[in-house]
Amino acid sequence: MNRFSWVIALIATFVGAPSLSPAANIRSSGPIVIVNEVATLRFRAPLGGFSPARRALNLAHLLQGLDTNLDIRIRRINRRNFAVVADGKMVIRISPADARANGTSVSILAARYASRLQVSYALPALQLAESELTLPITTSKFIQLVGSQVQSAEVSSSDPVIATASRVTGGIRLETKAPGQVRITVEANGSATELNIDVRPYAAAFPQSMRGVVAGDPATASTVTRTIEGAIRSQLISQPDSHILFKSLRGAHVGAGQTRSFRVRVSVKAPGAFPRTGLVEVSIRNIGGLARNDAELWYSNDPESVTKAGSLFSARLRRTTPVRLLYHHSNQASQAMFLRVQAVNKSDVAAHVVLIPGDSDPDRNPVRAGLTAAHQYLPAWLWGSGEVVTIPPKSSLPISLRRFSPGETVSGLCSLRLLDGPEDILVRTDAWPPFTVDQRWVAALASSTPWQEVGAGLMTQYDTAPYEHSESIYPNPLRIETVSYHVGGRYGFVRIGQSPINRQDNERPLDGNFGVVYSINARLDNPTSLGQDIEVTFESSAGYSGAIFSVNGKILQTPLLQPKEEAQLLKLHLAPGQVRNLEMITMPLSGSSYPATITIRPVQVSSRHLRIAR
């Protein structure tokens, strides 16, 4: 707000009020007349041989000889001229030249001048433009000070550690230094005015830098993106209960052994703090590709239907044994519960773990839940692309945390590899009754990577609750299959989930081979003299199912299929004498029915097919 605007805004308060100052402070500066430190009038045209600056100087001298409690009016002099009259004495003459220079009429300009004089004269001895302010720290702000005693005013702060103030031309200059409440006092000749300031911190300071570590050959763009987001949310230095916002990111592949930096504009809000937007730089380092195959499959599915809170699975993750964890549980209790998968480091040294996640939102359709988790997991697993997370001593890290209502299923797949630190850490799956969570944990509940929302925290009673080591551990969760198809010969078939692998104690086979990777090498050849269109199909042989495949590195996902329904995975043409090799990777998915059948055959024109959802 400029000075003229602020003065006009005070008309309702001060016009007609008795003057509180013993004498008006009046001077000129070029063509401007300043009354009580308010630039009240500006002359823009000469009159009677006097320049605008001389007119201003003459008016200042004239007003200094008048009483401060003036009766100010306007009066018509003749048909073309008006005057401003103070206590019956003409103090300003307004001509048509003045009106033209101000873009208005003579009468309106006369009224404007009279009004501004009245307001300026009516000001108290000291008047600040603000009486209450909320400011951020490390801020400099000018506050206008007007009144007849401004020239002799002194300024003081009730707490210079929080904020200081000094006199400058036209007002005071505030400098905030630290959060807190402070009072600024302006005094002169027995008159005083005050300004109360609430100094608050910024929600965050910028710029900031942070780091993330990944693995893979390369680390995929999705892994890099999630790691960038997790670094920002867990490492950003900000005020308590901050709300962090940034636009959707587009990460990029980071090759083995490489480091890349990404700049992100971040906005932060926090209670009792000023919002702030700025840049952060996230450095992502790729430690390189690791062996893709997992040594063990941990099967957290017993019981699948959870009716009460308690421990569901627990095992020790050892440095020598990378594992694939499958968890798939349905809430069959009468109330909502939390399903939590947690890595607990009880040792005195930090643990560094490569984590490849796949986690679904709670879903009333268990088949869809399993398919969602696998769609996140399989592409990253193919490249060994994961995030390296740090679990400090005596701390725990949430791998999955979901609130699921009665009838909902939570499903997930993840690979875990302990790189260094302690000899082993505990990984456990638990169902817990509902409890109150803060804002950060609300975000974690909605995320497939909750550690990126909240990071690691000190161990709690939940982490140290009683548990028993689970027996559902299956070594070597890999099946290698070969199949061939010759044009004109028998169809090629592969049964998925039919021959179960055995538990580590050989006491129970894994019916359906859920979570077991199938690597299928298919050879197709056409020994005939005619070209042939070939298709690869997936049939839900045992019941309602969905599936995900990698075919020569391309990810393909089926729709949800009714029993005995088929989806065409791939269609290709074999020229005469042509040979094609296909590498297909899949796994039986939680919630689906197995065994299922892959068929390689000529395209069936009359058969019903569901086109693959890519």
Side-chain angles (χ1 to χ4, degrees):
M1 183 182 293
N2 61 40
R3 296 185 181 186
F4 281 161
S5 299
W6 179 65
V7 167
I8 295 301
L10 293 176
I11 291 176
T13 304
F14 292 112
V15 169
S19 174
L20 302 178
S21 57
N25 186 337
I26 304 169
R27 69 181 191 278
S28 67
S29 176
I32 300 172
V33 178
I34 300 172
V35 179
N36 290 336
E37 297 306 309
V38 175
T40 303
L41 305 177
R42 176 192 289 269
F43 290 109
R44 301 180 185 275
L47 182 66
F50 293 106
S51 68
R54 186 53 188 262
R55 292 178 69 187
L57 179 63
N58 291 344
L59 177 59
H61 287 309
L62 181 60
L63 292 176
Q64 287 173 354
L66 299 179
D67 185 76
T68 56
N69 193 16
L70 295 176
D71 178 19
I72 299 175
R73 303 175 183 272
I74 62 172
R75 177 184 301 168
R76 181 188 290 272
I77 300 175
N78 53 42
R79 186 174 63 86
R80 303 184 61 195
N81 294 270
F82 272 74
V84 176
V85 178
D87 286 344
K89 183 177 182 179
M90 184 175 69
V91 293
I92 307 173
R93 182 182 173 187
I94 298 100
S95 70
D98 288 315
R100 287 193 298 271
N102 285 274
T104 186
S105 67
V106 176
S107 60
I108 291 177
L109 183 60
R112 184 185 301 168
Y113 281 173
S115 174
R116 288 176 175 173
L117 276 177
Q118 184 73 60
V119 170
S120 298
Y121 263 91
L123 288 172
L126 294 171
Q127 178 73 47
L128 285 167
E130 306 282 353
S131 60
E132 304 280 344
L133 278 179
T134 301
L135 296 174
I137 59 172
T138 63
T139 294
S140 178
K141 185 175 179 63
F142 172 82
I143 304 295
Q144 187 179 5
L145 175 66
V146 297
S148 59
Q149 300 299 306
V150 168
Q151 296 301 321
S152 57
E154 295 184 355
V155 185
S156 62
S157 169
S158 64
D159 191 340
V161 173
I162 297 174
T164 59
S166 57
R167 277 277 293 115
V168 295
T169 302
I172 63 174
R173 175 67 62 182
L174 303 174
E175 303 287 345
T176 62
K177 301 176 180 297
Q181 309 288 325
V182 65
R183 182 177 64 257
I184 304 299
T185 303
V186 183
E187 297 179 289
N189 300 321
S191 298
T193 187
E194 293 180 345
L195 170 61
N196 293 311
I197 307 174
D198 181 9
V199 182
R200 299 182 179 181
Y202 283 110
F206 293 102
Q208 291 191 38
S209 60
M210 48 210 64
R211 299 177 180 178
V213 182
V214 295
D217 190 15
T220 64
S222 58
T223 294
V224 171
T225 298
R226 289 195 302 266
T227 304
I228 294 170
E229 293 176 345
I232 294 172
R233 292 190 179 101
S234 61
Q235 298 178 36
L236 186 76
I237 300 172
S238 60
Q239 294 297 313
D241 298 324
S242 290
H243 184 52
I244 301 170
L245 296 172
F246 46 85
K247 292 183 179 179
S248 297
L249 303 179
R250 291 185 179 179
H253 291 330
V254 177
Q258 293 183 344
T259 298
R260 292 189 63 175
S261 293
F262 301 85
R263 301 182 75 190
V264 183
R265 182 168 294 277
V266 177
S267 297
V268 186
K269 298 179 180 179
F274 275 83
R276 197 72 184 270
T277 297
L279 288 175
V280 300
E281 185 167 344
V282 185
S283 174
I284 302 295
R285 179 171 65 91
N286 185 352
I287 63 172
L290 304 172
R292 186 171 69 182
N293 292 331
D294 300 314
E296 294 178 347
L297 172 66
W298 290 359
Y299 194 62
S300 178
N301 186 245
D302 186 14
E304 180 174 343
S305 297
V306 181
T307 59
K308 62 181 180 180
S311 177
L312 300 174
F313 180 89
S314 60
R316 309 294 302 190
L317 178 65
R318 304 179 301 277
R319 274 197 274 179
T320 57
T321 310
V323 305
R324 183 182 315 131
L325 170 64
L326 178 151
Y327 49 94
H328 186 83
H329 297 280
S330 174
N331 183 354
Q332 298 302 318
S334 59
Q335 63 174 352
M337 290 189 289
F338 287 102
L339 186 78
R340 194 192 68 156
V341 182
Q342 198 88 343
V344 184
N345 178 16
K346 296 182 179 180
S347 76
D348 295 321
V349 296
H352 298 94
V353 179
V354 179
L355 202 165
I356 301 176
D359 186 80
S360 77
D361 290 332
D363 201 312
R364 304 192 76 84
N365 185 330
V367 177
R368 186 165 52 223
L371 189 59
T372 299
H375 188 78
Q376 180 186 0
Y377 172 77
L378 184 61
W381 180 86
L382 289 169
W383 295 101
S385 178
E387 180 182 355
V388 180
V389 297
T390 299
I391 310 176
K394 310 297 183 185
S395 299
S396 64
L397 186 88
I399 296 172
S400 176
L401 179 66
R402 297 291 191 174
R403 183 186 186 277
F404 61 148
S405 299
E408 291 184 329
T409 296
V410 172
S411 189
L413 285 161
C414 65
S415 285
L416 301 167
R417 181 188 294 263
L418 179 59
L419 291 178
D420 56 36
E423 289 299 318
D424 58 50
I425 60 174
L426 175 67
V427 178
R428 58 184 300 166
T429 304
D430 298 282
W432 296 104
F435 52 88
T436 302
V437 295
D438 62 23
Q439 178 177 309
R440 292 169 63 244
W441 285 95
V442 169
L445 285 168
S447 173
S448 62
T449 53
W451 67 89
Q452 294 178 345
E453 302 290 341
V454 296
L458 293 176
M459 291 190 306
T460 68
Q461 59 180 342
Y462 299 111
D463 305 317
T464 57
Y467 65 92
E468 293 183 3
H469 285 290
S470 301
E471 297 178 340
S472 298
I473 294 176
Y474 297 83
N476 304 316
L478 174 66
R479 279 277 189 259
I480 298 177
E481 304 281 352
T482 60
V483 61
S484 61
Y485 172 69
H486 308 278
V487 172
R490 298 178 60 184
Y491 295 174
F493 294 99
V494 179
R495 293 283 279 178
I496 305 296
Q498 181 160 307
S499 300
I501 63 174
N502 287 319
R503 206 167 67 181
Q504 63 180 356
D505 57 6
N506 290 318
E507 291 294 322
R508 177 187 290 183
L510 181 59
D511 291 333
N513 274 355
F514 296 99
V516 174
V517 169
Y518 278 72
S519 179
I520 304 165
N521 298 305
R523 186 178 187 275
L524 290 67
D525 71 275
N526 183 6
T528 73
S529 60
L530 298 176
Q532 180 72 63
D533 290 332
I534 306 297
E535 67 180 358
V536 180
T537 65
F538 174 86
E539 180 193 69
S540 54
S541 306
Y544 184 48
S545 298
I548 187 168
F549 284 80
S550 167
V551 180
N552 288 353
K554 184 176 183 179
I555 300 299
L556 305 173
Q557 179 179 310
T558 73
L560 299 181
L561 303 174
Q562 297 300 322
K564 300 296 184 180
E565 202 164 22
E566 287 184 329
Q568 185 187 76
L569 295 173
L570 185 67
K571 177 183 176 181
L572 53 88
H573 181 79
L574 283 180
Q578 184 179 10
V579 177
R580 291 282 300 270
N581 293 306
L582 299 178
E583 181 189 25
M584 295 183 286
I585 295 175
T586 188
M587 64 175 64
L589 303 183
S590 299
S592 291
S593 300
Y594 287 86
T597 306
I598 296 173
T599 304
I600 305 174
R601 66 192 183 193
V603 172
Q604 304 293 295
V605 177
S606 60
S607 299
R608 180 187 177 202
H609 297 95
L610 296 176
R611 176 61 62 181
I612 200 74
R614 292 178 172 84

